[in-house]
Amino acid sequence: MIVEENREPLISIIVPAYNASLTIRKTIDSVLNQIYQNWELIIINDGSQDDTLKICRTYKDLRISVIDKENGGLSNARNTGLKYSKGQYVCFVDSDDWIKPEYLHSLYQSIIDYQSDLSVCGLILSYNNSYLKLSSQEVICYQNVYKNQKFIRLFETGLLNSSCNKLYKKAIIDRYCILFKPLVLVEDIEFNIQYFQHVSKISFIKESLYYYEQNNSQLTARVSKDAFDNYLRIHELLLSLVNKEFYVWIDRFVYHQYMSIIIKYLIKAATGKLPPKKVFILLKHYMSNSLIKRAFDGYKPLSVKESIVYGLIKRHCFFVVMLFLKIKSK
C-alpha cells in the first residue's frame, strides 16, 4: 500500500515552559486537537522545578519533542525553539495558554489566500474567569505596513503586541536573523517590529482563536525601570519607521504602555511593596522625559474617570492616585 505524502507544509509550534505543571496538559492537548495535522511541537523545559518535564514526557506522539535546559528566561527558550525548528512556518504558544482546533488551519489558509508573509488572528484574554476579545473587525490584508495608516492604528488595539497569535515564515526569521531579546515586557513587540520591517503583506482573520491566560503574577511582578527604558526605545524605534502623519497613533499606543507601568508602580506603593517616596521620585523622573510627555500630550481620555486619573498623573499628583488605589484595594 502506498501512503500519500502529506503535502501541507510543516508548522513548528514552539512552547517555552517554566513551572507549568498545572497548565501544560491543556496547552499540549489543544495542539493535538488541531485540524491541521502536519506540525511539530517543540517544548522547551526552561529549568522547571515542578513536574513540567515529567508531564511533557508522558506524551508519546512522535511529532512532540521536549528540550530540557537550564533556566535562561522566556526569550532564550523561544530562541532555542527557533534553533531546533524544521518547519516552513513557525508559531509560539505559551505554556499557560491554549488554541482552538482551527488555529493552525486558519492562520495558514490566510497566508495562502492573500500570499502574505504573516497572518494574525484575534486573542481571547482570560483573567479571573472573565474574558475579553481582541480581534480585527474584518478579514483584511495590509500592504506596505509601515506606510499604511490603518495598520499603524492597530498597534493601539493590542493585536500586534504578542507573538502568540501569529504565524510567521521561518525563512524571513532566518534570513534576517530575527531573535527574541531578553527585554522586560517588550520582547514580543520588539520581535514583531523587526519582523514587520521585512514583509510586504500581513493578513488578519477576524476570529479569536488564541486563549491568552493573564494572571496576577504576570501582571504585577514584572515592574522595573527597565520597562520604562524598553518602551522608550520601542517608542523611538517606531517613530523612526513611520511617516510623521502617523506619529499620533504611535504616541497613543505607547501612552497606554507608559500608563500601565505607572499604575503598576503606584499599586506597589499603595500595597506597601515599594516605598512610596522612592516610587514618586522614579515616576517624576520618567514623566519628565520628552517622549513620555509627548505621549501624554497627544492622548485624549475617553471618559471622565480616565480623564481624572490622566490629569493627576500628568501633573505628578502621584500621592492622590496612590491613595485612591489603596482605598480601592481594601
Side-chain angles (χ1 to χ4, degrees):
M1 179 180 178
I2 298 175
V3 179
E4 184 177 350
E5 184 179 352
N6 193 328
R7 294 182 180 179
E8 293 180 327
L10 180 67
I11 296 178
S12 298
I13 306 163
I14 296 172
V15 176
Y18 175 73
N19 290 348
S21 61
L22 297 179
T23 58
I24 192 69
R25 286 190 187 278
K26 191 168 187 177
T27 304
I28 297 173
D29 290 345
S30 73
V31 174
L32 290 169
N33 288 331
Q34 290 299 294
I35 295 170
Y36 190 101
Q37 286 291 297
N38 194 25
W39 49 260
E40 62 170 357
L41 172 59
I42 305 171
I43 304 170
I44 300 92
N45 181 53
D46 193 37
S48 297
Q49 302 299 309
D50 61 4
D51 289 334
T52 298
L53 180 61
K54 181 179 178 181
I55 292 170
C56 292
R57 285 178 171 168
T58 62
Y59 288 84
K60 303 306 180 184
D61 193 303
L62 295 178
R63 295 171 295 177
I64 299 176
S65 58
V66 182
I67 299 170
D68 186 30
K69 60 182 285 295
E70 293 183 0
N71 180 258
L74 178 61
S75 293
N76 181 271
R78 285 177 175 164
N79 291 337
T80 300
L82 284 172
K83 177 182 177 182
Y84 285 95
S85 63
K86 301 181 182 69
Q88 183 178 338
Y89 299 93
V90 62
C91 66
F92 303 93
V93 179
D94 286 345
S95 59
D96 54 355
D97 300 339
W98 65 100
I99 51 181
K100 287 188 176 182
E102 61 270 31
Y103 177 78
L104 293 180
H105 171 76
S106 296
L107 287 175
Y108 169 68
Q109 196 61 50
S110 178
I111 284 180
I112 297 304
D113 289 345
Y114 291 99
Q115 293 298 293
S116 60
D117 300 306
L118 176 76
S119 58
V120 183
C121 72
L123 291 162
I124 300 173
L125 306 181
S126 173
Y127 178 60
N128 283 351
N129 295 319
S130 63
Y131 299 92
L132 173 65
K133 284 188 177 183
L134 300 179
S135 62
S136 174
Q137 298 302 307
E138 55 184 330
V139 177
I140 196 165
C141 184
Y142 297 95
Q143 293 180 268
N144 300 318
V145 293
Y146 281 122
K147 295 182 180 180
N148 189 314
Q149 181 180 346
K150 288 185 177 180
F151 176 79
I152 297 301
R153 293 182 68 170
L154 285 174
F155 274 97
E156 194 178 3
T157 69
L159 280 175
L160 302 181
N161 295 21
S162 177
S163 61
C164 290
N165 61 327
K166 299 171 179 67
L167 186 63
Y168 302 84
K169 285 185 174 179
K170 183 64 162 29
I172 293 176
I173 293 173
D174 290 343
R175 185 181 308 132
Y176 297 102
C177 301
I178 302 172
L179 294 172
F180 288 90
K181 297 178 181 178
L183 302 171
V184 177
L185 288 182
V186 303
E187 65 275 358
D188 281 34
I189 186 64
E190 201 274 347
F191 181 90
N192 287 336
I193 289 171
Q194 289 185 74
Y195 190 91
F196 296 160
Q197 291 180 68
H198 304 293
V199 305
S200 58
K201 289 183 184 179
I202 299 177
S203 54
F204 284 73
I205 56 179
K206 62 183 179 180
E207 291 81 12
S208 296
L209 305 175
Y210 187 100
Y211 282 84
Y212 180 82
E213 187 69 35
Q214 296 180 297
N215 57 63
N216 272 323
S217 62
Q218 289 174 325
L219 291 173
T220 60
R222 302 174 70 187
V223 177
S224 74
K225 65 183 292 294
D226 290 339
F228 276 119
D229 294 336
N230 290 336
Y231 267 115
L232 284 167
R233 180 171 165 273
I234 292 297
H235 194 171
E236 191 171 18
L237 175 59
L238 284 171
L239 290 176
S240 73
L241 292 171
V242 305
N243 296 332
K244 286 187 177 180
E245 60 264 34
F246 302 156
Y247 281 5
V248 61
W249 305 112
I250 299 301
D251 292 339
R252 284 176 63 90
F253 159 64
V254 189
Y255 162 81
H256 291 292
Q257 318 311 317
Y258 294 141
M259 180 62 88
S260 175
I261 299 167
I262 291 167
I263 294 298
K264 288 176 185 178
Y265 262 112
L266 291 174
I267 288 173
K268 291 232 173 192
T271 54
K273 294 177 181 177
L274 283 176
K277 186 176 180 180
K278 184 177 179 180
V279 168
F280 299 160
I281 292 172
L282 179 75
L283 296 184
K284 186 175 181 180
H285 167 74
Y286 278 101
M287 285 296 294
S288 300
N289 181 279
S290 60
L291 280 177
I292 294 179
K293 288 172 69 174
R294 173 198 176 102
F296 270 76
D297 289 342
Y299 183 73
K300 305 299 180 186
L302 301 178
S303 67
V304 174
K305 182 180 177 180
E306 184 185 8
S307 182
I308 292 171
V309 175
Y310 164 86
L312 289 170
I313 289 177
K314 189 176 180 181
R315 292 168 178 79
H316 300 185
C317 299
F318 305 123
F319 181 75
V320 178
V321 180
M322 186 197 73
L323 287 180
F324 169 75
L325 294 171
K326 192 171 185 178
I327 293 169
K328 189 177 178 182
S329 66
K330 288 182 178 180

